[in-house]
Amino acid sequence: MAAERIECGDYLIERIPITEEQQQLVTEDVYTARIEAARTSDILRFASKSLPKLNGIEHVKRVRRESTDPDNELLVILCQCKMIDREELDTLLRGTEWEESRISVNRVPRYPPYTRDQFEQWKALWPVAYRPPVKLKKLAFSTDEKAYIQMCLSEADELRRQNSNTDNRPVAVVIGNANTRNIVAESTDKTRKTGNPLRHAAMCCIAQVAESEVTRLALKEKSTLQKDNKGDLDGENVHLPLKRTHEECDSEKAESSNDVANYLCEGLDVFSSKEPCVMCTMALVHSRIGRLFFIDESESGGISHYSMHCLKALNHHFTAFKCTRFSTSNSQ
Ligand SMILES: [Zn+2]
């Protein structure tokens, strides 16, 4: 499918298609009977009573009209070939009014179409139902949002450029808040500087968000206690609520949906000079980021090689964008 692209200041932003959008046509064999149109409901009743039920191909329409057929006959799907072999089917049909209906094997699309292009292409093989997914919105950014994205990407690029003059790996990450349109964390790669192989730029940024959250919660706790104790609290003894109970989370969520996120980076955007590695991508999934924008692709990246932003097996998905610089002046 054609990639969606949008210009954003110095960058060309391209949304990375999710797995379903890249799905090629895969087919599955079904047994069909050729019958008069008027007998359709009778044969479907027989199939539902006596033949294996269709499994996993609910998007496939049960009946195909042959436009060139002058006798007004239809092809009706009886069951999937993987469920029973032809001999078994013949045995089940023997002695019924459908014994003489011309049975053949037809191919149908195995997966439901996700994009309109897939739908148009796949329905030529066999009619399928199509419901455009809500998630498949057209790529669009407002002027303000474009300025925010450009600011965050430039900042990540500039940090990376500064870091490329040192011994450290030239990678930088910025975390932005799309609501307030400001930067909430930024870091370069610190693996060589600290000797800690886990201190990738994205991991350092997530740690910064965690520290800010601890501080914010401590201040909140302090102000609550001050209210309760009429202001005679010793600040050093503030209890840090690192682990919140479910009740606390629920009540905080109810208090203000903007103020408190249930997960560390919920709704935040990550801007990276390089595509995050598998470890960092998993950390971004766990911390529930909203969107990822990265500039340079990586041979071992979690997005372009493993599609970790949209894996069905993971319980959080985010939108990923590849951002290409228009000018090369800032690149290295
Ligand atoms: Zn990493």
Side-chain angles (χ1 to χ4, degrees):
M1 80 168 267
E4 278 190 292
R5 295 190 176 98
I6 200 162
E7 284 185 22
C8 194
D10 297 338
Y11 302 88
L12 182 65
I13 297 189
E14 191 177 312
R15 185 177 64 80
I16 297 182
I18 63 169
T19 321
E20 286 93 332
E21 292 171 83
Q22 300 175 65
Q23 179 68 55
Q24 298 295 311
L25 175 64
V26 177
T27 63
E28 167 163 2
D29 289 343
V30 291
Y31 295 113
T32 57
R34 183 179 288 270
I35 55 150
E36 291 164 37
R39 302 176 75 203
T40 310
S41 45
D42 291 343
I43 199 168
L44 287 177
R45 206 171 301 124
F46 165 78
S48 115
K49 210 169 125 201
S50 310
L51 300 177
K53 302 241 176 314
L54 299 188
N55 184 9
I57 55 165
E58 289 72 16
H59 55 282
V60 171
K61 297 209 173 164
R62 202 65 193 252
V63 171
R64 185 172 89 187
R65 187 176 295 280
E66 303 292 76
S67 58
T68 53
D69 185 355
D71 299 327
N72 195 24
E73 287 187 330
L74 301 176
L75 281 185
V76 178
I77 296 177
L78 294 177
C79 62
Q80 289 157 284
C81 296
K82 68 180 181 189
M83 306 300 253
I84 52 173
D85 62 29
R86 181 61 197 265
E87 230 171 274
E88 283 176 88
L89 178 66
D90 287 343
T91 309
L92 289 166
L93 293 175
R94 200 164 298 139
T96 72
E97 57 183 308
W98 311 109
E99 191 172 0
E100 297 303 317
S101 49
R102 284 155 289 165
I103 306 297
S104 59
V105 172
N106 281 75
R107 292 190 307 147
V108 298
R110 177 178 292 175
Y111 302 112
Y114 191 85
T115 68
R116 188 155 288 281
D117 283 352
Q118 288 167 339
F119 170 61
E120 296 296 339
Q121 196 195 333
W122 299 0
K123 74 177 182 182
L125 182 72
W126 187 276
V128 283
Y130 178 56
R131 200 172 296 155
V134 181
K135 280 193 282 182
L136 206 60
K137 284 188 299 191
K138 194 168 164 32
L139 182 60
F141 297 127
S142 68
T143 309
D144 283 356
E145 198 172 19
K146 277 186 181 178
Y148 152 75
I149 293 168
Q150 153 86 17
M151 171 191 77
C152 295
L153 282 173
S154 300
E155 179 69 11
D157 235 354
E158 177 58 22
L159 271 176
R160 175 201 60 83
R161 202 178 57 77
Q162 288 169 10
N163 211 40
S164 65
N165 300 326
T166 69
D167 284 343
N168 293 309
R169 291 165 64 224
V171 181
V173 171
V174 162
I175 294 187
N177 183 328
N179 289 327
T180 56
R181 303 205 199 284
N182 65 348
I183 290 173
V184 298
E186 59 180 41
S187 179
T188 51
D189 181 275
K190 297 203 188 313
T191 50
R192 290 183 191 151
K193 195 173 170 189
T194 60
N196 181 342
L198 302 180
R199 300 285 283 160
H200 291 197
M203 303 297 273
C204 295
C205 277
I206 293 172
Q208 278 178 32
V209 174
E211 280 161 23
S212 312
E213 183 69 354
V214 167
T215 309
R216 189 188 66 79
L217 289 171
L219 287 170
K220 191 176 172 188
E221 182 89 343
K222 185 178 173 184
S223 77
T224 310
L225 286 173
Q226 275 174 341
K227 262 188 233 161
D228 292 350
N229 298 332
K230 302 189 178 76
D232 59 349
L233 181 83
D234 177 354
E236 283 180 2
N237 293 327
V238 172
H239 163 64
L240 296 184
L242 283 173
K243 297 263 182 211
R244 283 175 286 167
T245 63
H246 288 301
E247 290 71 27
E248 280 173 319
C249 284
D250 287 347
S251 72
E252 283 177 347
K253 192 179 175 190
E255 250 176 57
S256 163
S257 57
N258 288 332
D259 182 39
V260 175
N262 284 325
Y263 292 92
L264 207 49
C265 296
E266 200 167 350
L268 297 181
D269 294 325
V270 173
F271 301 84
S272 180
S273 68
K274 190 177 180 188
E275 179 183 349
C277 69
V278 170
M279 172 183 75
C280 291
T281 310
M282 202 60 215
L284 299 179
V285 171
H286 282 315
S287 55
R288 302 287 202 273
I289 66 155
R291 297 181 295 185
L292 166 70
F293 299 78
F294 66 85
I295 299 172
D296 294 325
E297 232 169 74
S298 159
E299 305 96 50
S300 54
I303 308 297
S304 44
H305 292 267
Y306 302 101
S307 299
M308 289 170 68
H309 63 305
C310 59
L311 279 188
K312 274 192 182 149
L314 299 178
N315 59 0
H316 177 68
H317 302 145
F318 57 82
T319 315
F321 300 91
K322 161 102 178 74
C323 311
T324 311
R325 292 176 204 96
F326 279 124
S327 66
T328 52
S329 59
N330 210 18
S331 62
Q332 178 119 11

